[in-house]
Amino acid sequence: MVESAHLHELGEFLKLRRGELRPAQVGLPEHGHAPRRVPGLRREEVAQLAAISTDYYMRIEQGRLAPSPSVLASLVRELRLSSDQAAYVEALVGQAAQAGRRPGSRRRRPRPRVHPHLVRLMGQLVETPALVFGPRLDILAWNRLAATLLHDFAAVPERERNYVRMVFTDPAMRAVYPDWEDVARTCVEVLRMEAGTNPTDPALSELVGELSIADADFRAWWAEHRVAHQDFGSKRIAHPAVGELILDWDSFRYAGAPDQQLVLWSAESETTSYRRLQELARSL
């Protein structure tokens, strides 16, 4: 059932998060009557904190039961979940409820097409690198400066044109990011967040399976079930022609296609990074 996929993911996520909490962090004694055999909180301790029965909580972790809104709020609070983590578990429960009201489908969604107006806009941004990401961080479109800054995306077969795949499997992308591990971990967390929306997506399952086999880091980080939602940030880029740049990036959802996002890169005026970005633009 589609519903079980969402609830199974919820259970695994909660199990890992309780394993990261020490009893002292939530006001419980570190040692009780029996030796502690788990690194974090026991199930019964989480149930006690959330004011529910151990059996109720156990069924949630086993993916057999969707928690009520009040119970979910208690779990979010007692497990000290971040805002991104809270949004993730709430989405899982919501998607499970919707899946229960409609037939499940594992059909592969076609690769979305970028609206021509958006393509035209990117082409006119001659001093601003721009990309359009689709579901699973598929790279759908880009302008010339983005290709010059990051990668010649046109040289990559369309099926393989996925940002996460390229970060983990393309040596050129590893060389672009001096802080590769931070970038790669964030990719995994963002992809895991999307998996909460549609854990039965065949293309997502295929991507995760492929990268789990190809890269030990991806396999280990995916198993941690960490999630993140990012709309902006900064990255350090090592460019062979102009040297190192520190660029800010901002993401904008396209109203005409909510599953697409436009990402723009920029630098603070009159900084070394700004001058180097302009130098790249002039070289086109």
Side-chain angles (χ1 to χ4, degrees), residues 44-59:
E44 55 266 30
E45 290 171 331
V46 175
Q48 175 189 339
L49 291 167
I52 57 177
S53 71
T54 301
D55 178 69
Y56 187 103
Y57 179 71
M58 181 174 65
R59 285 186 288 159

Side-chain angles (χ1 to χ4, degrees), residues 133-135 252-261:
F133 288 128
F252 304 90
R253 293 286 172 180
Y254 182 51
D259 61 346
Q260 298 178 23
Q261 52 182 319

